[in-house]
Amino acid sequence: MSINLTTPEAQIRENRLSSITGYKGSIKDLATQAGGCSLKSGERGFTQTTACSLGCAQGQLVLIKDAAVVGHSAIGCGSDTIQSNINNRRGQFSRELEYTNINYINTNMTEEATVFGGAAKLREGIREAYRRFNPKVIFVTTSCVSGIIGENISGILEGLAEEIPVPLVPVHCEGFRSKLWASGFDAAFHAILTYIVKPAEKKNPNLINIINFSGIGRKEVVRLLGRLGLVPQFLVQFTTVDQLSKISEAAATLSFCGTLGSYLASGLEEHFGVPYIKSLQPHGIAGINSWLRELGKVLGREEEVEKLIEEETAAIASELEELREKLNGKRVVIGMGPSFSQNYTRLLQELALEVVWAASWHFDQRHDYGEIPATILDLAKNEKDIPACVSELQVHEINNLLRQLKPDLFVCRHPGMAIWSAKLGIPTIFINDEYQSFGYQGLINFGNRVADTLANPTFVQYLASKIKLPYTNWWLEQDAFTFLGEAPPKKKERITKAVV
Amino acid sequence: MAKAAKKIKVIEQVRYSCALAALHSVLAIDRAVPILHAGPGCGQRLSTALSTTNGYQGTGYAGGHAMPCTNSTEAEVIFGGEKKLKELITHSLEVMDADLYVVLTGCTADIVGDDSTEVARGFQKQGKPVVCAQTGGFSGNNFVGHELILGAIIDQYLQPSEEIEPGLVNVFSIVPYYDAFWTGNLEEIRKLLEAIGLKANIIFGPGGGVNALNKIPKAQFNLLLSPWIGLTNVQQLEEKFKTPYLHYPVLPIGPTETSKFLRAIGKYAGLPSEQVEASIAELEKPYDYYIERSADYLLQARVGLPSRFITISDSFYALGISKFLVNDLGLLPGTQFIIDNIPAKYQADLEKEFKDLSPTISAPVVFTNDSGTIREKLRETKFRGKPLILGSAWDQMIAKELNGYQLSVSFPVADRFILNSTYIGYNGALRLAEDIFSVLVSSNY
């Protein structure tokens, strides 16, 4: 089994999925090498600030409605809960829910705690979280400080078990443990799988788990799956603990993002018998078709799915053709997490755009169910190869790459990225909402957004004419990957089969 | 008198960040670049909090993901990270175009005991403009971090000056980025000082930078315009360069405090009082014009006016805003919550200021950094009419519960987009009045 629920924490992605953060090559090469031992992560001699597991773990857990999170860290590690609270508002707004603040307490580890331990503060944090929020579960997130000083989190939580009558759940997400911040998703989902999810008492044949982020644009999923008589439930943000405990009742799990969903979906499949639909993600026509067809196959509803696909495709055909004519041949560079990067590479080609480079922030060589991500295998089947890199949010690389390639458009995801292409005068689309290009109508909406972005580039042009990049002329003349060291020499054998 | 809040050590809702978050004080110096020796998430998280979710200030010249960082992982934790830091600084000097490089350490580097300052010293010996501040998050909050960074620059970078420039004043005041209005506020301080005939040397924001840093030793005196943050820095400057300092603890908002402030600083600088008085008379005119115009509304809207105002903010704003609302607009204070973890030795002075807000009015003060404590205290309070909560975006909820008005002025200002607004001086007071009463007129009181 690849998801081990008997251990207190999820293995980090470097070890579990052989994920890498440094690479330059192409999509076909990545797909060929993926899954085995041959692809090694390149190291950099110069690095800019990235992200860490804690952010990803905390960001998921603080948005579970009736849970509380106690962050056992210095106060700085609690800082991005401000952003989480903004996400909370946005989610509540789109669901027409009453506004509330998130339930988060930070133990404020100071010098004293690093010397004598922070057990007393952690106990106080948990007691206060219980008293103030009356939560159904309390998650305790760890940090660099709690990890390095070797705080016995499990021991402290066990000691409080009799006093606090709700599950006290450790979430191991120390920032220094993994270079892949997505390891934090796994840490959060490991905690949910081990402490919250219960075996199904009865199965609900029409209920489908959808793993997504904030789920702003759920309506279209509800509509599409509704046409198949299915009811989606969106995980894990904005669910209740009770709902989470019953996600094993679902007939299948779909995910919006292979990076986000892999651990939870695989865990549900392996340990709770909920099939994970191992398809492309539902961005663009091929993506949504694959998503629905695989689902139809698992549920035995192939015919209904084919009918749905036919009707939905026909409904957008003329608009799509217009868009393709308008956008034909515009050159695009992509920079996103691996799942989004791969899925958007496909989607942008559906809009007749030319993807001249696909950067991803990391690359998972396989998913938790043991296979190479379907998205990269799908891209590698194309005749045309696309240059690609794995760039760990290194904006110095991206800046030089964009200067060299001069694309018509940069499409990116991850806060803090859009500004660096815009400063070069390159029209930029920032994908914040994961539903932005969902399904058939989503593709049309997104295509129009691309057309609009290209139609009026004055803002980025003005920026570029006035703003100096923070780099020396020396650096700007270097190759983008000057500091990316060669990966160690290739080795043979693969763990799983690469199908290219 | 301050009431002793229940001794809560944990913090619900983040109203300040850690020492490393003061990397924003580096970003606020034109053409200075921070180099982080920290874990992989620190830079992003702190940048999100203090830039993005606090007035949507953005990353500026070299913030956000442009900041060089060792992104320390297991290897640096186990084997130490000095070698990696040295390599990073070497390459940062090649890649990043800057006049000053400030190395800041995070929790990991400081706990494992890397001698980062020594690594930076190696570069200083080669004549490189590199300094290092140890700002491990556990060592204090971002106010302490701000002082540590300025301290490192003063100690490791500034050189003595042969001459003193009469009338030149170094301004040490609000904390950049943490105060979402910092650029506008510093600009307003500059205008005020220049109006009475002084030359303000302001390090942070547009027009400051390394030139301003280099001028520090030439100043006639240092002005610390802050209840407590920066006191160690001006003391350090007195020791190093024999520059005297004036500590003025009240952020001047509104005519009463601003005129008082200008008189005090004019006197300290040895300016002729007629000159200062003439300037003040000019500065007050526009304020008086607008206040006369708005008086109709302020008088006729009495039924909707807030019954008591509560501040939930750092000591800068709490005191400055309270003095303005009490002395110039005739409002009455409720409890003032001071959230900046002000060291015990400065608390008594601040309490005294609140005790004497005006000859007849004083306000109770609670020192706490925990929102749960604040919430419970407010729930216990009996308000007659609508309270006005001047706090952060977190406080929308409690304001709603209390059926009050709310305006975010203090970190995190996550519900407003801030560019060059200021709350300081005569103009700033008008702006604050606009913002407060806009909340009133847009609500259905």
Side-chain angles (χ1 to χ4, degrees):
Chain A
M1 291 216 176
S2 53
I3 303 277
N4 185 351
L5 298 185
T6 61
T7 58
E9 56 191 289
Q11 264 198 326
I12 58 171
R13 289 197 175 208
E14 286 94 326
N15 300 340
R16 217 177 70 241
L17 308 176
S18 304
S19 306
I20 61 164
T21 50
Y23 166 84
K24 182 204 167 191
S26 76
I27 292 286
K28 279 181 191 284
D29 179 62
L30 259 183
T32 312
Q33 292 197 59
C37 302
S38 57
L39 193 60
K40 298 283 185 202
S41 198
E43 295 287 328
R44 290 177 177 82
F46 173 73
T47 44
Q48 292 161 303
T49 192
T50 60
C52 81
S53 301
L54 174 63
C56 287
Q58 227 159 244
Q60 290 292 319
L61 298 171
V62 292
L63 293 190
I64 296 170
K65 276 195 211 159
D66 47 4
V69 174
V70 176
H72 194 34
S73 67
I75 184 70
C77 293
S79 295
D80 51 0
T81 57
I82 299 166
Q83 178 64 54
S84 289
N85 205 44
I86 294 171
N87 299 346
N88 189 36
R89 287 296 181 85
R90 229 174 259 157
Q92 288 168 335
F93 177 78
S94 81
R95 290 164 174 80
E96 296 173 17
L97 297 171
E98 183 90 354
Y99 286 153
T100 57
N101 284 324
I102 54 168
N103 299 332
Y104 174 79
I105 284 181
N106 181 279
T107 61
N108 189 26
M109 292 182 91
T110 50
E111 197 121 33
E112 196 188 334
T114 68
V115 180
F116 302 107
K121 284 188 147 185
L122 180 53
R123 283 190 207 101
E124 187 196 28
I126 291 168
R127 286 185 181 120
E128 285 298 313
Y130 184 68
R131 186 174 73 83
R132 295 177 188 187
F133 310 129
N134 190 25
K136 300 273 166 37
V137 57
I138 297 173
F139 295 104
V140 174
T141 53
T142 60
S143 65
C144 289
V145 173
S146 74
I148 296 176
I149 67 169
E151 196 87 285
N152 177 10
I153 305 283
S154 299
I156 296 165
L157 299 190
E158 276 161 27
L160 282 170
E162 278 190 20
E163 180 188 334
I164 311 283
V166 298
L168 305 177
V169 182
V171 183
H172 295 277
C173 52
E174 299 91 345
F176 70 87
R177 294 244 193 253
S178 176
K179 289 179 89 170
L180 291 117
W181 50 94
S183 291
F185 295 139
D186 312 335
F189 294 151
H190 186 84
I192 289 169
L193 282 166
T194 45
Y195 282 83
I196 311 293
V197 180
K198 305 265 181 302
E201 282 173 23
K202 56 172 191 332
K203 286 280 181 184
N204 182 342
N206 298 323
L207 186 66
I208 307 296
N209 293 325
I210 312 274
I211 302 173
N212 64 183
F213 291 93
S214 52
I216 301 299
R218 310 168 310 284
K219 277 188 185 145
E220 183 65 4
V221 186
V222 172
R223 183 186 75 82
L224 271 186
L225 293 191
R227 293 197 56 190
L228 299 169
L230 301 173
V231 180
Q233 71 174 349
F234 297 89
L235 309 177
V236 300
Q237 300 177 332
F238 299 99
T239 53
T240 63
V241 174
D242 183 51
Q243 257 176 304
L244 276 179
S245 72
K246 293 178 188 160
I247 58 177
S248 56
E249 293 178 1
T253 304
L254 287 163
S255 179
F256 253 77
C257 171
T259 308
L260 173 74
S262 167
Y263 197 92
L264 179 57
S266 300
L268 282 171
E269 178 168 278
E270 281 185 32
H271 297 276
F272 298 94
V274 184
Y276 176 24
I277 309 305
K278 302 166 190 78
S279 59
L280 308 178
Q281 276 71 54
H283 313 286
I285 291 183
I288 184 73
N289 286 355
S290 160
W291 213 56
L292 293 172
R293 281 196 176 116
E294 292 300 316
L295 180 66
K297 213 181 281 174
V298 168
L299 301 183
R301 302 190 190 202
E302 286 102 326
E303 272 175 43
E304 293 151 271
V305 167
E306 288 309 322
K307 186 164 169 281
L308 177 70
I309 288 175
E310 196 180 315
E311 286 171 19
E312 295 284 337
T313 315
I316 61 159
S318 68
E319 275 182 289
L320 180 60
E321 209 34 58
E322 263 174 60
L323 274 171
R324 288 175 56 90
E325 270 169 41
K326 205 185 270 183
L327 303 177
N328 185 24
K330 295 284 182 195
R331 300 165 68 252
V332 194
V333 173
I334 292 181
M336 308 187 194
S339 177
F340 269 78
S341 179
Q342 291 155 20
N343 282 293
Y344 267 77
T345 300
R346 190 187 61 241
L347 173 146
L348 288 162
Q349 290 173 330
E350 285 180 358
L351 289 170
L353 294 145
E354 185 195 355
V355 178
V356 294
W357 197 286
S360 66
W361 308 142
H362 79 267
F363 177 66
D364 297 316
Q365 295 201 51
R366 56 178 176 269
H367 281 327
D368 280 295
Y369 48 87
E371 289 168 24
I372 296 167
T375 44
I376 190 107
L377 297 178
D378 178 71
L379 287 179
K381 273 189 249 156
N382 290 346
E383 200 177 312
K384 188 172 165 273
D385 199 6
I386 296 171
C389 65
V390 178
S391 242
E392 209 193 1
L393 298 176
Q394 295 303 307
V395 291
H396 69 286
E397 285 179 4
I398 299 295
N399 261 138
N400 275 14
L401 189 66
L402 289 170
R403 274 170 57 90
Q404 179 197 322
L405 295 169
K406 297 187 179 58
D408 299 305
L409 180 70
F410 181 55
V411 182
C412 66
R413 191 171 150 85
H414 192 93
M417 285 313 294
I419 184 68
W420 300 108
S421 49
K423 281 184 177 182
L424 290 165
I426 297 169
T428 299
I429 290 184
F430 177 68
I431 310 285
N432 187 17
D433 173 5
E434 72 267 23
Y435 285 86
Q436 197 155 117
S437 61
F438 169 72
Y440 307 93
Q441 198 52 52
L443 180 67
I444 300 301
N445 296 345
F446 183 74
N448 279 306
R449 190 172 168 204
V450 172
D452 288 352
T453 303
L454 295 173
N456 189 356
T458 53
F459 179 62
V460 290
Q461 282 168 354
Y462 186 80
L463 258 185
S465 73
K466 294 285 184 177
I467 301 272
K468 191 201 163 300
L469 289 172
Y471 301 111
T472 58
N473 289 332
W474 174 82
W475 170 248
L476 293 176
E477 283 158 15
Q478 302 304 303
D479 177 82
F481 303 96
T482 303
F483 287 109
L484 178 64
E486 287 294 311
K490 293 178 181 182
K491 286 187 197 133
K492 12 65 238 242
E493 268 176 82
R494 309 236 170 108
I495 293 170
T496 49
K497 287 168 278 171
V499 196
V500 180
Chain B
M1 272 287 100
K3 295 188 184 120
K6 191 187 154 201
K7 281 259 180 290
I8 294 281
K9 287 184 172 173
V10 296
I11 299 179
E12 177 189 340
Q13 297 175 351
V14 176
R15 290 176 193 268
Y16 58 69
S17 193
C18 67
L20 181 60
L23 63 91
H24 289 87
S25 300
V26 180
L27 292 172
I29 301 172
D30 191 26
R31 288 185 51 79
V33 165
I35 298 176
L36 313 185
H37 185 24
C42 301
Q44 183 200 21
R45 172 167 303 119
L46 301 174
S47 176
T48 300
L50 276 94
S51 312
T52 313
T53 59
N54 191 36
Y56 300 86
Q57 299 181 63
T59 52
Y61 178 64
H65 287 294
M67 296 184 287
C69 179
T70 50
N71 295 327
S72 303
T73 49
E74 207 113 40
E76 285 74 50
V77 169
I78 297 169
F79 303 110
E82 290 174 17
K83 196 169 152 243
K84 193 161 182 186
L85 175 61
K86 196 176 165 193
E87 188 189 19
L88 180 71
I89 298 173
T90 305
H91 292 317
S92 297
L93 290 167
E94 291 167 4
V95 175
M96 305 304 292
D97 188 14
D99 297 331
L100 177 67
Y101 301 81
V102 181
V103 177
L104 295 99
T105 57
C107 290
T108 46
D110 284 355
I111 294 180
V112 305
D114 286 347
D115 195 346
S116 309
T117 308
E118 190 52 39
V119 175
R121 202 161 286 141
F123 289 90
Q124 287 161 21
K125 282 180 191 152
Q126 300 165 34
K128 309 285 187 200
V130 178
V131 303
C132 175
Q134 282 189 278
T135 48
F138 63 85
S139 60
N141 57 24
N142 55 292
F143 308 112
V144 173
H146 175 73
E147 289 192 333
L148 287 171
I149 284 161
L150 275 174
I153 292 171
I154 293 167
D155 180 39
Q156 300 165 40
Y157 176 76
L158 294 188
Q159 301 299 324
S161 164
E162 305 245 312
E163 39 162 1
I164 298 301
E165 199 178 321
L168 184 68
V169 186
N170 299 321
V171 176
F172 295 92
S173 185
I174 47 185
V175 179
Y177 285 90
Y178 176 79
D179 174 2
F181 306 89
W182 66 278
T183 31
N185 279 345
L186 288 173
E187 196 45 43
E188 201 59 29
I189 294 172
R190 177 197 302 284
K191 285 181 192 161
L192 289 172
L193 295 184
E194 286 176 356
I196 59 166
L198 294 169
K199 282 173 278 184
N201 187 35
I202 292 178
I203 298 145
F204 304 110
V210 169
N211 284 340
L213 284 178
N214 293 338
K215 273 201 279 183
I216 286 177
K218 291 186 189 166
Q220 181 188 335
F221 66 97
N222 290 313
L223 167 65
L224 177 65
L225 182 52
S226 139
W228 64 280
I229 297 156
L231 192 55
T232 58
N233 299 129
V234 290
Q235 286 166 348
Q236 193 185 354
L237 285 166
E238 186 176 51
E239 202 172 303
K240 188 165 175 176
F241 301 122
K242 309 271 178 298
T243 319
Y245 67 86
L246 169 64
H247 181 187
Y248 197 89
V250 186
L251 209 58
I253 301 175
T256 303
E257 272 309 310
T258 311
S259 301
K260 207 160 130 190
F261 162 69
L262 291 176
R263 284 181 189 115
I265 194 161
K267 194 174 167 201
Y268 188 83
L271 300 175
S273 71
E274 316 80 70
Q275 181 188 323
V276 174
E277 288 307 322
S279 308
I280 288 173
E282 277 306 300
L283 289 164
E284 283 180 345
K285 270 185 201 163
Y287 178 88
D288 295 345
Y289 169 80
Y290 288 108
I291 226 63
E292 182 188 340
R293 259 179 40 178
S294 61
D296 289 77
Y297 165 71
L298 292 175
L299 294 165
Q300 292 177 26
R302 270 297 167 191
V303 70
L305 289 186
S307 61
R308 290 290 183 276
F309 71 86
I310 310 290
T311 61
I312 307 173
S313 77
D314 54 77
S315 49
F316 289 71
Y317 274 138
L319 195 52
I321 290 174
S322 298
K323 292 227 169 191
F324 167 58
L325 296 183
V326 167
N327 291 313
D328 298 325
L329 291 190
L331 300 184
L332 290 171
T335 306
Q336 309 298 304
F337 296 92
I338 312 291
I339 55 82
D340 51 357
N341 207 24
I342 174 169
K345 59 182 170 182
Y346 305 125
Q347 286 183 5
D349 285 346
L350 195 70
E351 274 179 66
K352 193 173 172 313
E353 293 282 351
F354 277 106
K355 193 166 173 288
D356 305 326
L357 276 179
S358 85
T360 54
I361 293 168
S362 52
V365 180
V366 172
F367 296 103
T368 181
N369 51 20
D370 169 48
S371 295
T373 307
I374 295 169
R375 197 168 52 231
E376 281 169 20
K377 209 101 212 141
L378 286 173
R379 280 175 179 161
E380 286 165 11
T381 309
K382 184 163 193 243
F383 291 102
R384 295 174 201 285
K386 283 169 171 268
L388 166 67
I389 313 281
L390 297 159
S392 75
W394 293 117
D395 304 314
Q396 291 178 336
M397 292 299 104
I398 186 67
K400 197 176 161 207
E401 194 183 319
L402 301 172
N403 192 25
Y405 304 111
Q406 189 269 351
L407 178 69
S408 297
V409 295
S410 183
F411 178 82
V413 183
D415 54 341
R416 301 179 63 185
F417 178 67
I418 309 296
L419 291 172
N420 66 349
S421 295
T422 174
Y423 284 155
I424 282 184
Y426 308 93
N427 280 327
L430 291 175
R431 180 67 205 218
L432 182 57
E434 278 181 355
D435 290 349
I436 289 175
F437 293 107
S438 289
V439 171
L440 260 77
V441 297
S442 66
S443 69
N444 305 313
Y445 60 80

